[in-house]
Amino acid sequence: MEDRPLDERVRALETEVRRLRAERDRTFTLLDRAGIGASHLTADGRIASANAALARFLGYEAHEMAGMPIEVFTETEAAQLQRAAIADLLAGRRESFDFEKHYVTKEGRRKWGHVYLMSARFDADEPDFLMAIVVDIDPRKQAEETVVRQNVELERGTKLLASVIENMPAGIVYFDREQRIRLINPAARQDLGGPSPEMLIGRTPGELFPDYAGLFASILGPCLERGETYQGRDLQLPQSIPIGGTGFADVAVVPISSPEGGIVGALFMAVESTDRVEKERWQAETIERLRELDRSKDEFLGVLSHELRTPLNGIMGFTSLLADGVVGELDSRQADFLAKIEASTDRMVDLVDDLLDMSRVLLGKLDLLPEAIDLDEVVHQAVARLAPEAEKKGIELEDRVPSELPPVWADAQRVDQVLRDLLGNAIKFTSTGGKIGVSASIQDGSLRCEVADTGVGIAPDALPYVFDRFYQADSSSTRVAGGLGLGLALVKSLVLAQGGLVGVQSEPGKGSTFWFTLPQCAPILAAAPPAT
């Protein structure tokens, strides 16, 4: 010990303490400017002082932290580790420690910090205080934890994707930039006859199937070179190795890009469609055969109708001669029989004419001669022609079509045929005392004509089919009326062929209203003089 007086030695020590504290304050200030936390700890693990950086890190004011034990800022396990480190420093067993731990902020948030503990000494024998330096590593640790989570999720997603690809019923093949197979799932191997992956990995389609090298190159090339997606339906592809059988598949090829954006490969997906292709081919062939049969039937009907018309003309001619008394005067019984023959012949002629017209429609040979016509005149003639038949049944037949309607562009003979069919149909299914009315009006730029009756009506389940060929509702009234079921089908065909529409509203027991539309004439067309 020095022989200096005690008061001098005390003053010297106080001077040294002030120097050390000033040095400490300068160190705290420098660390604070660098954003590094620093604190002076007492031997019992309490904060003696802290700089502003550490206070900001933990969410306190610096003066609030004075006297607080380290457990306030540290989780239990980390606090125990730090207490043990302080004990080793105070015992002189270590001069410094450093470790990473979670700090707890004033708001209760957990933050990562890297703490450095060291002792400061006045002399070689006895420590004076402990220094803790804290570096904020929370952003780095958060980033590391995020990367770990992402890696776990990526691994999980990769395993899930691998499982999905492995178990998908569609064939999947991954090609690299050189068009070499790098992955192929069991479904694709099964389509190729079940070869092992070793036979396929690393090889190109051209090496495996030389005959299909061009096809695969045309599909994979644009995808790998320019990132073009490909979709193809019912492509003929090889189905076996090494036999080389073929089948059909729906194919999709999509480019696979790296995170940097460059194309690294192509995913080839194929769904086997051989069964569907063969089924569709069989269906197409069957439909074509049925169409051919239908055409043959239509041609047969046309020929048959034409051939029937010839003997009918003969019957009609000789019946007319007999009625005129060419072979002698007929008694009342003979005249009655002859009238019945004439009626049956007329009915037969109507049926044959319907067959001929339907045959022309089906074969696309229906001739139309459209012109500007006045519908009221055509209606008037049709009503006048069928009035005797309606009167004979005790049915009131009324013409309600106004004369001031604009002309329509249509074939007058075919419009007359439509009206006669609709009126005849109404007379058939209207009982004695009933009413039939024909009306017309302009709707949506077209002229709409309606034939309404108070007859038996049509059942709701039959309405969708009344315009079908050979359709007859299954009722006693239709059986009595007879017919081939061609009249309404011809009505629809004749109206549609002239640019119109056709329909029906009906309720059983309350009658039916059949309607059709025809296009109006353009003003200049309606005013044009007739051709000479």
Side-chain angles (χ1 to χ4, degrees), residues 121-133:
R121 300 172 185 271
F122 286 121
D123 54 44
D125 297 325
E126 190 173 346
D128 179 49
F129 60 87
L130 300 172
M131 178 74 77
I133 305 298

Side-chain angles (χ1 to χ4, degrees), residues 368-373 409-412 498:
L368 292 173
L369 300 173
E371 58 182 339
I373 64 172
W409 185 252
D411 185 321
Q498 299 182 84

Side-chain angles (χ1 to χ4, degrees), residues 68 95 177 230 261 269 399:
M68 289 184 175
E95 291 186 355
R177 290 278 299 175
Y230 174 86
M269 293 164 284
D399 179 357

